[in-house]
Amino acid sequence: FPGGADSSKLVGSGESWVRWDDRAFRVSVGREDAMTRTTYRYTVDEIAGVAAGFRTFAAEQYLVRGATLSRGARRIAARAVENGGYEECEPVSDGLSALEAELPVGRELPAPHDGSWYVELDGSRRRLRIGRWVA
């Protein structure tokens, strides 16, 4: 096939046509292709039986306690909480630079809150977001 009788054997190499289940297929025989196989393994661990337990777990996973921040970094974070936000123009202050450097990278909140941290300052827990923009 095409132009020949049906056969139960394939040609040793090159391109052939095969009719199977009333459909025609083009088959390349004797060609080597390199393939990469990626295997993903997933595990599931129950961390809480109820929603309140999960909230407690997540809060402790991501919570950054203000007491661990330097005085300058803490002052900037407290201002952001008091005023509903905080802005500076370039060049940024030592306090803001310290805050950005001291917030732990591994404790940043996951998407959709990228660039945010869950911080505790003076007994109040808030989401602290740091954004930069250029005029």
Side-chain angles (χ1 to χ4, degrees), residues 30-87:
R31 188 175 74 197
E32 291 185 25
D33 289 325
M35 295 176 59
T36 302
R37 180 178 177 174
T38 304
T39 303
Y40 296 95
R41 183 164 295 148
Y42 298 92
T43 58
V44 177
D45 296 319
E46 183 177 14
I47 54 174
V50 294
F54 176 74
R55 283 192 293 275
T56 300
F57 168 80
E60 293 307 316
Q61 282 289 113
Y62 293 105
L63 185 63
V64 176
R65 300 196 187 278
T68 63
L69 300 174
S70 68
R71 198 167 81 200
R74 213 174 130 66
R75 185 172 34 246
I76 298 295
R79 274 180 154 172
V81 169
E82 289 169 14
N83 301 323
Y86 177 84
E87 291 186 7

Side-chain angles (χ1 to χ4, degrees), residues 106-117:
R107 305 288 290 268
E108 185 176 355
L109 293 173
H113 296 295
D114 302 14
S116 299
W117 286 263

Side-chain angles (χ1 to χ4, degrees), residues 66 68-80 86 93-103 119 121 128 130:
T68 63
L69 300 174
S70 68
R71 198 167 81 200
R74 213 174 130 66
R75 185 172 34 246
I76 298 295
R79 274 180 154 172
Y86 177 84
S93 68
D94 292 340
L96 184 55
S97 294
L99 178 61
E100 289 178 320
E102 293 174 30
L103 289 170
V119 297
L121 293 167
L128 174 69
I130 295 178

